[in-house]
Amino acid sequence: MDAHNDQPKTARSEDARGVPPAWYPDPQGGWRLRWWDGAHWADQVVVPTAPPAKRTSWDDLTIVFCAELILAFGAFFLAGILVMGVDSCESDRCVELYQRAWLLLMAVSLALPIVCGAAFFWASRAKWVAVKILAVLVLPIGTGTGWAVYLVMTDIAMRA
């Protein structure tokens, strides 16, 4: 904005209300800027090269995805603790099924955040909203499915 050269020569540094002379959003609306000389609005207006930045759903997706990543990695660490439940098995078949369920859960809990995180990052750089949305949806659905399969498999293991 080279429009600073258009400022009135008589502009005071600050008026009695404490609002210094400068370019401000136009009180008549829009996204133009109007010169305030310290006492009144001037006729000079400037149109910025770009509209003011607004918070977008793109930013909201990033916040949601970061929260999902934290929860998914928390699920991974919780899955790591669950291996101790194998002590409740009484047969070798139970131990084998329990270990397979645990390995599946560990793989899902580790792979999904990594794959979805990479897809989300790549989509952010490429500005592909659909891929970002897909990553946001796949991570919790996949993690929840992994846990459901784990619970079913451990139930089967305890009955073996």
mmCIF file of all heavy atoms in Angstrom, residues 89-134:
data_model
loop_
_atom_site.group_PDB
_atom_site.id
_atom_site.type_symbol
_atom_site.label_atom_id
_atom_site.label_comp_id
_atom_site.label_asym_id
_atom_site.label_seq_id
_atom_site.Cartn_x
_atom_site.Cartn_y
_atom_site.Cartn_z
ATOM 1 N N CYS A 89 -4.612 -66.121 31.003
ATOM 2 C CA CYS A 89 -4.836 -67.294 30.146
ATOM 3 C C CYS A 89 -4.389 -68.566 30.856
ATOM 4 O O CYS A 89 -3.374 -68.583 31.545
ATOM 5 C CB CYS A 89 -4.071 -67.150 28.824
ATOM 6 S SG CYS A 89 -4.789 -65.956 27.707
ATOM 7 N N GLU A 90 -5.175 -69.621 30.636
ATOM 8 C CA GLU A 90 -4.848 -70.896 31.257
ATOM 9 C C GLU A 90 -4.335 -71.932 30.264
ATOM 10 O O GLU A 90 -3.789 -72.944 30.664
ATOM 11 C CB GLU A 90 -6.080 -71.437 31.986
ATOM 12 C CG GLU A 90 -6.510 -70.523 33.116
ATOM 13 C CD GLU A 90 -7.775 -71.002 33.783
ATOM 14 O OE1 GLU A 90 -8.294 -72.085 33.431
ATOM 15 O OE2 GLU A 90 -8.264 -70.285 34.658
ATOM 16 N N SER A 91 -4.512 -71.692 28.953
ATOM 17 C CA SER A 91 -4.053 -72.672 27.955
ATOM 18 C C SER A 91 -3.110 -71.997 26.958
ATOM 19 O O SER A 91 -3.092 -70.776 26.824
ATOM 20 C CB SER A 91 -5.244 -73.271 27.213
ATOM 21 O OG SER A 91 -5.839 -72.292 26.384
ATOM 22 N N ASP A 92 -2.355 -72.836 26.269
ATOM 23 C CA ASP A 92 -1.440 -72.309 25.251
ATOM 24 C C ASP A 92 -2.219 -71.665 24.103
ATOM 25 O O ASP A 92 -1.775 -70.678 23.520
ATOM 26 C CB ASP A 92 -0.548 -73.421 24.706
ATOM 27 C CG ASP A 92 0.479 -73.884 25.732
ATOM 28 O OD1 ASP A 92 0.749 -73.112 26.680
ATOM 29 O OD2 ASP A 92 1.005 -74.997 25.576
ATOM 30 N N ARG A 93 -3.369 -72.228 23.777
ATOM 31 C CA ARG A 93 -4.210 -71.672 22.698
ATOM 32 C C ARG A 93 -4.682 -70.270 23.079
ATOM 33 O O ARG A 93 -4.700 -69.374 22.243
ATOM 34 C CB ARG A 93 -5.408 -72.605 22.450
ATOM 35 C CG ARG A 93 -6.334 -72.115 21.373
ATOM 36 C CD ARG A 93 -5.734 -72.349 19.997
ATOM 37 N NE ARG A 93 -6.686 -71.902 18.993
ATOM 38 C CZ ARG A 93 -6.352 -71.223 17.925
ATOM 39 N NH1 ARG A 93 -5.095 -70.949 17.687
ATOM 40 N NH2 ARG A 93 -7.257 -70.860 17.066
ATOM 41 N N CYS A 94 -5.062 -70.077 24.319
ATOM 42 C CA CYS A 94 -5.489 -68.761 24.811
ATOM 43 C C CYS A 94 -4.339 -67.759 24.682
ATOM 44 O O CYS A 94 -4.522 -66.645 24.203
ATOM 45 C CB CYS A 94 -5.955 -68.860 26.264
ATOM 46 S SG CYS A 94 -6.364 -67.263 26.998
ATOM 47 N N VAL A 95 -3.156 -68.142 25.097
ATOM 48 C CA VAL A 95 -1.986 -67.258 25.023
ATOM 49 C C VAL A 95 -1.701 -66.888 23.573
ATOM 50 O O VAL A 95 -1.445 -65.722 23.242
ATOM 51 C CB VAL A 95 -0.751 -67.918 25.686
ATOM 52 C CG1 VAL A 95 0.506 -67.119 25.398
ATOM 53 C CG2 VAL A 95 -0.975 -68.078 27.179
ATOM 54 N N GLU A 96 -1.763 -67.878 22.680
ATOM 55 C CA GLU A 96 -1.487 -67.635 21.263
ATOM 56 C C GLU A 96 -2.498 -66.648 20.666
ATOM 57 O O GLU A 96 -2.118 -65.693 19.981
ATOM 58 C CB GLU A 96 -1.527 -68.958 20.500
ATOM 59 C CG GLU A 96 -1.253 -68.815 19.025
ATOM 60 C CD GLU A 96 -1.409 -70.126 18.279
ATOM 61 O OE1 GLU A 96 -1.326 -71.201 18.898
ATOM 62 O OE2 GLU A 96 -1.635 -70.056 17.057
ATOM 63 N N LEU A 97 -3.796 -66.864 20.934
ATOM 64 C CA LEU A 97 -4.828 -65.972 20.411
ATOM 65 C C LEU A 97 -4.708 -64.568 21.008
ATOM 66 O O LEU A 97 -4.868 -63.568 20.319
ATOM 67 C CB LEU A 97 -6.220 -66.536 20.677
ATOM 68 C CG LEU A 97 -6.616 -67.758 19.854
ATOM 69 C CD1 LEU A 97 -7.941 -68.328 20.356
ATOM 70 C CD2 LEU A 97 -6.712 -67.393 18.385
ATOM 71 N N TYR A 98 -4.414 -64.523 22.294
ATOM 72 C CA TYR A 98 -4.262 -63.240 22.972
ATOM 73 C C TYR A 98 -3.089 -62.466 22.377
ATOM 74 O O TYR A 98 -3.186 -61.258 22.132
ATOM 75 C CB TYR A 98 -4.066 -63.459 24.468
ATOM 76 C CG TYR A 98 -4.267 -62.220 25.292
ATOM 77 C CD1 TYR A 98 -5.502 -61.931 25.848
ATOM 78 C CD2 TYR A 98 -3.225 -61.323 25.509
ATOM 79 C CE1 TYR A 98 -5.693 -60.788 26.594
ATOM 80 C CE2 TYR A 98 -3.411 -60.184 26.254
ATOM 81 C CZ TYR A 98 -4.642 -59.918 26.795
ATOM 82 O OH TYR A 98 -4.827 -58.782 27.529
ATOM 83 N N GLN A 99 -1.965 -63.138 22.131
ATOM 84 C CA GLN A 99 -0.805 -62.475 21.553
ATOM 85 C C GLN A 99 -1.078 -61.985 20.137
ATOM 86 O O GLN A 99 -0.645 -60.894 19.767
ATOM 87 C CB GLN A 99 0.398 -63.422 21.561
ATOM 88 C CG GLN A 99 0.970 -63.626 22.951
ATOM 89 C CD GLN A 99 2.075 -64.676 22.974
ATOM 90 O OE1 GLN A 99 2.195 -65.494 22.067
ATOM 91 N NE2 GLN A 99 2.864 -64.660 24.032
ATOM 92 N N ARG A 100 -1.809 -62.758 19.346
ATOM 93 C CA ARG A 100 -2.155 -62.319 17.990
ATOM 94 C C ARG A 100 -3.058 -61.079 18.044
ATOM 95 O O ARG A 100 -2.885 -60.147 17.259
ATOM 96 C CB ARG A 100 -2.848 -63.440 17.229
ATOM 97 C CG ARG A 100 -1.897 -64.512 16.782
ATOM 98 C CD ARG A 100 -2.592 -65.539 15.952
ATOM 99 N NE ARG A 100 -1.659 -66.611 15.622
ATOM 100 C CZ ARG A 100 -1.960 -67.641 14.879
ATOM 101 N NH1 ARG A 100 -3.180 -67.773 14.393
ATOM 102 N NH2 ARG A 100 -1.061 -68.564 14.627
ATOM 103 N N ALA A 101 -4.010 -61.091 18.960
ATOM 104 C CA ALA A 101 -4.891 -59.932 19.108
ATOM 105 C C ALA A 101 -4.085 -58.706 19.504
ATOM 106 O O ALA A 101 -4.287 -57.609 18.972
ATOM 107 C CB ALA A 101 -5.971 -60.222 20.156
ATOM 108 N N TRP A 102 -3.149 -58.892 20.418
ATOM 109 C CA TRP A 102 -2.317 -57.784 20.875
ATOM 110 C C TRP A 102 -1.428 -57.267 19.744
ATOM 111 O O TRP A 102 -1.306 -56.054 19.559
ATOM 112 C CB TRP A 102 -1.477 -58.221 22.073
ATOM 113 C CG TRP A 102 -0.595 -57.137 22.577
ATOM 114 C CD1 TRP A 102 -0.959 -56.100 23.372
ATOM 115 C CD2 TRP A 102 0.794 -56.981 22.311
ATOM 116 N NE1 TRP A 102 0.128 -55.302 23.619
ATOM 117 C CE2 TRP A 102 1.218 -55.819 22.971
ATOM 118 C CE3 TRP A 102 1.730 -57.706 21.570
ATOM 119 C CZ2 TRP A 102 2.526 -55.363 22.924
ATOM 120 C CZ3 TRP A 102 3.030 -57.249 21.517
ATOM 121 C CH2 TRP A 102 3.424 -56.092 22.193
ATOM 122 N N LEU A 103 -0.820 -58.161 18.976
ATOM 123 C CA LEU A 103 0.030 -57.733 17.861
ATOM 124 C C LEU A 103 -0.776 -56.965 16.808
ATOM 125 O O LEU A 103 -0.313 -55.961 16.268
ATOM 126 C CB LEU A 103 0.723 -58.935 17.221
ATOM 127 C CG LEU A 103 1.904 -59.512 17.998
ATOM 128 C CD1 LEU A 103 2.383 -60.802 17.341
ATOM 129 C CD2 LEU A 103 3.026 -58.498 18.080
ATOM 130 N N LEU A 104 -1.982 -57.435 16.523
ATOM 131 C CA LEU A 104 -2.847 -56.738 15.570
ATOM 132 C C LEU A 104 -3.176 -55.331 16.080
ATOM 133 O O LEU A 104 -3.094 -54.357 15.335
ATOM 134 C CB LEU A 104 -4.129 -57.536 15.335
ATOM 135 C CG LEU A 104 -5.145 -56.872 14.411
ATOM 136 C CD1 LEU A 104 -4.613 -56.800 12.986
ATOM 137 C CD2 LEU A 104 -6.460 -57.611 14.450
ATOM 138 N N LEU A 105 -3.530 -55.238 17.345
ATOM 139 C CA LEU A 105 -3.851 -53.940 17.929
ATOM 140 C C LEU A 105 -2.644 -53.006 17.902
ATOM 141 O O LEU A 105 -2.766 -51.830 17.579
ATOM 142 C CB LEU A 105 -4.361 -54.109 19.360
ATOM 143 C CG LEU A 105 -4.753 -52.820 20.077
ATOM 144 C CD1 LEU A 105 -5.882 -52.113 19.333
ATOM 145 C CD2 LEU A 105 -5.154 -53.118 21.502
ATOM 146 N N MET A 106 -1.475 -53.523 18.222
ATOM 147 C CA MET A 106 -0.257 -52.705 18.197
ATOM 148 C C MET A 106 0.021 -52.219 16.770
ATOM 149 O O MET A 106 0.367 -51.055 16.571
ATOM 150 C CB MET A 106 0.941 -53.502 18.714
ATOM 151 C CG MET A 106 0.883 -53.802 20.200
ATOM 152 S SD MET A 106 0.930 -52.332 21.226
ATOM 153 C CE MET A 106 2.643 -51.882 21.056
ATOM 154 N N ALA A 107 -0.129 -53.098 15.782
ATOM 155 C CA ALA A 107 0.123 -52.708 14.393
ATOM 156 C C ALA A 107 -0.846 -51.615 13.943
ATOM 157 O O ALA A 107 -0.437 -50.614 13.340
ATOM 158 C CB ALA A 107 0.018 -53.927 13.485
ATOM 159 N N VAL A 108 -2.127 -51.799 14.241
ATOM 160 C CA VAL A 108 -3.136 -50.808 13.856
ATOM 161 C C VAL A 108 -2.899 -49.491 14.589
ATOM 162 O O VAL A 108 -2.942 -48.417 13.989
ATOM 163 C CB VAL A 108 -4.559 -51.346 14.140
ATOM 164 C CG1 VAL A 108 -5.596 -50.247 14.071
ATOM 165 C CG2 VAL A 108 -4.899 -52.465 13.185
ATOM 166 N N SER A 109 -2.606 -49.565 15.888
ATOM 167 C CA SER A 109 -2.427 -48.364 16.693
ATOM 168 C C SER A 109 -1.172 -47.583 16.326
ATOM 169 O O SER A 109 -1.083 -46.395 16.601
ATOM 170 C CB SER A 109 -2.376 -48.728 18.181
ATOM 171 O OG SER A 109 -3.607 -49.273 18.592
ATOM 172 N N LEU A 110 -0.212 -48.236 15.723
ATOM 173 C CA LEU A 110 1.002 -47.547 15.301
ATOM 174 C C LEU A 110 0.930 -47.125 13.832
ATOM 175 O O LEU A 110 1.297 -46.004 13.479
ATOM 176 C CB LEU A 110 2.229 -48.432 15.534
ATOM 177 C CG LEU A 110 3.578 -47.792 15.219
ATOM 178 C CD1 LEU A 110 3.800 -46.556 16.080
ATOM 179 C CD2 LEU A 110 4.696 -48.777 15.422
ATOM 180 N N ALA A 111 0.437 -48.012 12.975
ATOM 181 C CA ALA A 111 0.434 -47.734 11.537
ATOM 182 C C ALA A 111 -0.575 -46.646 11.153
ATOM 183 O O ALA A 111 -0.263 -45.784 10.328
ATOM 184 C CB ALA A 111 0.146 -49.017 10.761
ATOM 185 N N LEU A 112 -1.769 -46.683 11.724
ATOM 186 C CA LEU A 112 -2.787 -45.710 11.328
ATOM 187 C C LEU A 112 -2.365 -44.266 11.577
ATOM 188 O O LEU A 112 -2.506 -43.435 10.678
ATOM 189 C CB LEU A 112 -4.111 -46.009 12.032
ATOM 190 C CG LEU A 112 -5.038 -46.948 11.290
ATOM 191 C CD1 LEU A 112 -6.262 -47.268 12.129
ATOM 192 C CD2 LEU A 112 -5.458 -46.380 9.959
ATOM 193 N N PRO A 113 -1.868 -43.909 12.761
ATOM 194 C CA PRO A 113 -1.446 -42.513 12.945
ATOM 195 C C PRO A 113 -0.319 -42.099 12.000
ATOM 196 O O PRO A 113 -0.297 -40.975 11.515
ATOM 197 C CB PRO A 113 -0.981 -42.451 14.402
ATOM 198 C CG PRO A 113 -1.634 -43.590 15.068
ATOM 199 C CD PRO A 113 -1.802 -44.648 14.021
ATOM 200 N N ILE A 114 0.582 -43.020 11.706
ATOM 201 C CA ILE A 114 1.689 -42.683 10.811
ATOM 202 C C ILE A 114 1.183 -42.476 9.387
ATOM 203 O O ILE A 114 1.489 -41.473 8.734
ATOM 204 C CB ILE A 114 2.783 -43.764 10.874
ATOM 205 C CG1 ILE A 114 3.467 -43.720 12.237
ATOM 206 C CG2 ILE A 114 3.798 -43.581 9.756
ATOM 207 C CD1 ILE A 114 4.401 -44.878 12.512
ATOM 208 N N VAL A 115 0.388 -43.416 8.887
ATOM 209 C CA VAL A 115 -0.121 -43.316 7.515
ATOM 210 C C VAL A 115 -1.063 -42.120 7.370
ATOM 211 O O VAL A 115 -0.950 -41.329 6.425
ATOM 212 C CB VAL A 115 -0.819 -44.630 7.099
ATOM 213 C CG1 VAL A 115 -1.558 -44.469 5.787
ATOM 214 C CG2 VAL A 115 0.197 -45.761 7.012
ATOM 215 N N CYS A 116 -2.006 -41.981 8.302
ATOM 216 C CA CYS A 116 -2.950 -40.858 8.221
ATOM 217 C C CYS A 116 -2.229 -39.518 8.417
ATOM 218 O O CYS A 116 -2.572 -38.526 7.775
ATOM 219 C CB CYS A 116 -4.065 -41.018 9.250
ATOM 220 S SG CYS A 116 -5.209 -42.349 8.856
ATOM 221 N N GLY A 117 -1.244 -39.488 9.301
ATOM 222 C CA GLY A 117 -0.465 -38.262 9.502
ATOM 223 C C GLY A 117 0.287 -37.868 8.246
ATOM 224 O O GLY A 117 0.322 -36.688 7.870
ATOM 225 N N ALA A 118 0.893 -38.837 7.574
ATOM 226 C CA ALA A 118 1.610 -38.552 6.323
ATOM 227 C C ALA A 118 0.632 -38.061 5.247
ATOM 228 O O ALA A 118 0.927 -37.092 4.533
ATOM 229 C CB ALA A 118 2.348 -39.800 5.854
ATOM 230 N N ALA A 119 -0.521 -38.708 5.145
ATOM 231 C CA ALA A 119 -1.520 -38.289 4.157
ATOM 232 C C ALA A 119 -2.028 -36.882 4.463
ATOM 233 O O ALA A 119 -2.193 -36.055 3.558
ATOM 234 C CB ALA A 119 -2.685 -39.276 4.129
ATOM 235 N N PHE A 120 -2.260 -36.597 5.731
ATOM 236 C CA PHE A 120 -2.749 -35.278 6.136
ATOM 237 C C PHE A 120 -1.714 -34.203 5.816
ATOM 238 O O PHE A 120 -2.033 -33.147 5.277
ATOM 239 C CB PHE A 120 -3.075 -35.289 7.632
ATOM 240 C CG PHE A 120 -3.825 -34.079 8.098
ATOM 241 C CD1 PHE A 120 -5.204 -34.048 8.021
ATOM 242 C CD2 PHE A 120 -3.166 -32.987 8.614
ATOM 243 C CE1 PHE A 120 -5.912 -32.943 8.451
ATOM 244 C CE2 PHE A 120 -3.855 -31.873 9.040
ATOM 245 C CZ PHE A 120 -5.240 -31.852 8.956
ATOM 246 N N PHE A 121 -0.444 -34.473 6.135
ATOM 247 C CA PHE A 121 0.625 -33.513 5.862
ATOM 248 C C PHE A 121 0.757 -33.284 4.355
ATOM 249 O O PHE A 121 0.846 -32.150 3.893
ATOM 250 C CB PHE A 121 1.946 -34.012 6.455
ATOM 251 C CG PHE A 121 3.105 -33.136 6.120
ATOM 252 C CD1 PHE A 121 3.279 -31.923 6.769
ATOM 253 C CD2 PHE A 121 4.022 -33.514 5.154
ATOM 254 C CE1 PHE A 121 4.336 -31.094 6.457
ATOM 255 C CE2 PHE A 121 5.092 -32.692 4.837
ATOM 256 C CZ PHE A 121 5.254 -31.476 5.490
ATOM 257 N N TRP A 122 0.758 -34.363 3.584
ATOM 258 C CA TRP A 122 0.871 -34.253 2.138
ATOM 259 C C TRP A 122 -0.309 -33.461 1.558
ATOM 260 O O TRP A 122 -0.133 -32.611 0.700
ATOM 261 C CB TRP A 122 0.956 -35.660 1.534
ATOM 262 C CG TRP A 122 0.887 -35.686 0.046
ATOM 263 C CD1 TRP A 122 1.845 -35.259 -0.831
ATOM 264 C CD2 TRP A 122 -0.205 -36.137 -0.742
ATOM 265 N NE1 TRP A 122 1.403 -35.437 -2.113
ATOM 266 C CE2 TRP A 122 0.148 -35.977 -2.094
ATOM 267 C CE3 TRP A 122 -1.443 -36.687 -0.430
ATOM 268 C CZ2 TRP A 122 -0.688 -36.326 -3.121
ATOM 269 C CZ3 TRP A 122 -2.282 -37.047 -1.472
ATOM 270 C CH2 TRP A 122 -1.901 -36.864 -2.799
ATOM 271 N N ALA A 123 -1.503 -33.746 2.043
ATOM 272 C CA ALA A 123 -2.692 -33.039 1.559
ATOM 273 C C ALA A 123 -2.660 -31.568 1.943
ATOM 274 O O ALA A 123 -3.140 -30.719 1.191
ATOM 275 C CB ALA A 123 -3.953 -33.699 2.102
ATOM 276 N N SER A 124 -2.087 -31.256 3.096
ATOM 277 C CA SER A 124 -1.965 -29.856 3.505
ATOM 278 C C SER A 124 -1.057 -29.100 2.551
ATOM 279 O O SER A 124 -1.331 -27.962 2.186
ATOM 280 C CB SER A 124 -1.405 -29.760 4.927
ATOM 281 O OG SER A 124 -2.303 -30.319 5.839
ATOM 282 N N ARG A 125 0.038 -29.734 2.169
ATOM 283 C CA ARG A 125 0.983 -29.088 1.255
ATOM 284 C C ARG A 125 0.392 -28.946 -0.145
ATOM 285 O O ARG A 125 0.634 -27.969 -0.820
ATOM 286 C CB ARG A 125 2.281 -29.880 1.186
ATOM 287 C CG ARG A 125 2.910 -30.168 2.522
ATOM 288 C CD ARG A 125 3.992 -29.300 2.948
ATOM 289 N NE ARG A 125 4.986 -29.095 1.916
ATOM 290 C CZ ARG A 125 5.814 -28.079 1.944
ATOM 291 N NH1 ARG A 125 5.774 -27.249 2.933
ATOM 292 N NH2 ARG A 125 6.689 -27.915 0.995
ATOM 293 N N ALA A 126 -0.384 -29.945 -0.578
ATOM 294 C CA ALA A 126 -0.965 -29.944 -1.925
ATOM 295 C C ALA A 126 -2.316 -29.228 -1.981
ATOM 296 O O ALA A 126 -2.882 -29.068 -3.050
ATOM 297 C CB ALA A 126 -1.123 -31.381 -2.424
ATOM 298 N N LYS A 127 -2.837 -28.821 -0.805
ATOM 299 C CA LYS A 127 -4.145 -28.159 -0.712
ATOM 300 C C LYS A 127 -5.284 -29.027 -1.224
ATOM 301 O O LYS A 127 -6.184 -28.578 -1.896
ATOM 302 C CB LYS A 127 -4.143 -26.819 -1.465
ATOM 303 C CG LYS A 127 -3.085 -25.857 -1.052
ATOM 304 C CD LYS A 127 -3.504 -25.091 0.158
ATOM 305 C CE LYS A 127 -2.485 -24.004 0.434
ATOM 306 N NZ LYS A 127 -2.318 -23.726 1.804
ATOM 307 N N TRP A 128 -5.227 -30.325 -0.888
ATOM 308 C CA TRP A 128 -6.275 -31.259 -1.277
ATOM 309 C C TRP A 128 -7.161 -31.529 -0.063
ATOM 310 O O TRP A 128 -6.848 -32.359 0.779
ATOM 311 C CB TRP A 128 -5.689 -32.550 -1.805
ATOM 312 C CG TRP A 128 -5.045 -32.406 -3.154
ATOM 313 C CD1 TRP A 128 -4.856 -31.240 -3.856
ATOM 314 C CD2 TRP A 128 -4.523 -33.439 -3.965
ATOM 315 N NE1 TRP A 128 -4.241 -31.496 -5.031
ATOM 316 C CE2 TRP A 128 -4.022 -32.844 -5.139
ATOM 317 C CE3 TRP A 128 -4.418 -34.803 -3.810
ATOM 318 C CZ2 TRP A 128 -3.436 -33.570 -6.147
ATOM 319 C CZ3 TRP A 128 -3.833 -35.523 -4.828
ATOM 320 C CH2 TRP A 128 -3.360 -34.917 -5.990
ATOM 321 N N VAL A 129 -8.258 -30.828 -0.004
ATOM 322 C CA VAL A 129 -9.153 -30.917 1.147
ATOM 323 C C VAL A 129 -9.731 -32.318 1.302
ATOM 324 O O VAL A 129 -9.850 -32.826 2.420
ATOM 325 C CB VAL A 129 -10.286 -29.870 1.031
ATOM 326 C CG1 VAL A 129 -11.242 -29.976 2.194
ATOM 327 C CG2 VAL A 129 -9.716 -28.474 0.937
ATOM 328 N N ALA A 130 -10.081 -32.972 0.220
ATOM 329 C CA ALA A 130 -10.699 -34.300 0.293
ATOM 330 C C ALA A 130 -9.782 -35.306 0.982
ATOM 331 O O ALA A 130 -10.239 -36.133 1.784
ATOM 332 C CB ALA A 130 -11.071 -34.789 -1.095
ATOM 333 N N VAL A 131 -8.494 -35.243 0.701
ATOM 334 C CA VAL A 131 -7.551 -36.177 1.323
ATOM 335 C C VAL A 131 -7.409 -35.862 2.812
ATOM 336 O O VAL A 131 -7.320 -36.767 3.649
ATOM 337 C CB VAL A 131 -6.182 -36.134 0.603
ATOM 338 C CG1 VAL A 131 -5.169 -37.016 1.306
ATOM 339 C CG2 VAL A 131 -6.343 -36.555 -0.847
ATOM 340 N N LYS A 132 -7.417 -34.570 3.153
ATOM 341 C CA LYS A 132 -7.354 -34.199 4.568
ATOM 342 C C LYS A 132 -8.574 -34.728 5.316
ATOM 343 O O LYS A 132 -8.456 -35.279 6.410
ATOM 344 C CB LYS A 132 -7.288 -32.679 4.729
ATOM 345 C CG LYS A 132 -5.904 -32.119 4.657
ATOM 346 C CD LYS A 132 -5.901 -30.647 4.942
ATOM 347 C CE LYS A 132 -5.638 -30.392 6.388
ATOM 348 N NZ LYS A 132 -5.339 -28.995 6.699
ATOM 349 N N ILE A 133 -9.741 -34.548 4.731
ATOM 350 C CA ILE A 133 -10.972 -35.028 5.364
ATOM 351 C C ILE A 133 -10.929 -36.546 5.507
ATOM 352 O O ILE A 133 -11.318 -37.096 6.541
ATOM 353 C CB ILE A 133 -12.208 -34.568 4.567
ATOM 354 C CG1 ILE A 133 -12.362 -33.050 4.684
ATOM 355 C CG2 ILE A 133 -13.462 -35.287 5.028
ATOM 356 C CD1 ILE A 133 -13.406 -32.453 3.780
ATOM 357 N N LEU A 134 -10.446 -37.219 4.479
ATOM 358 C CA LEU A 134 -10.329 -38.676 4.527
ATOM 359 C C LEU A 134 -9.411 -39.112 5.672
ATOM 360 O O LEU A 134 -9.738 -40.028 6.422
ATOM 361 C CB LEU A 134 -9.816 -39.208 3.189
ATOM 362 C CG LEU A 134 -9.789 -40.717 3.038
ATOM 363 C CD1 LEU A 134 -11.199 -41.279 3.114
ATOM 364 C CD2 LEU A 134 -9.132 -41.107 1.728
#
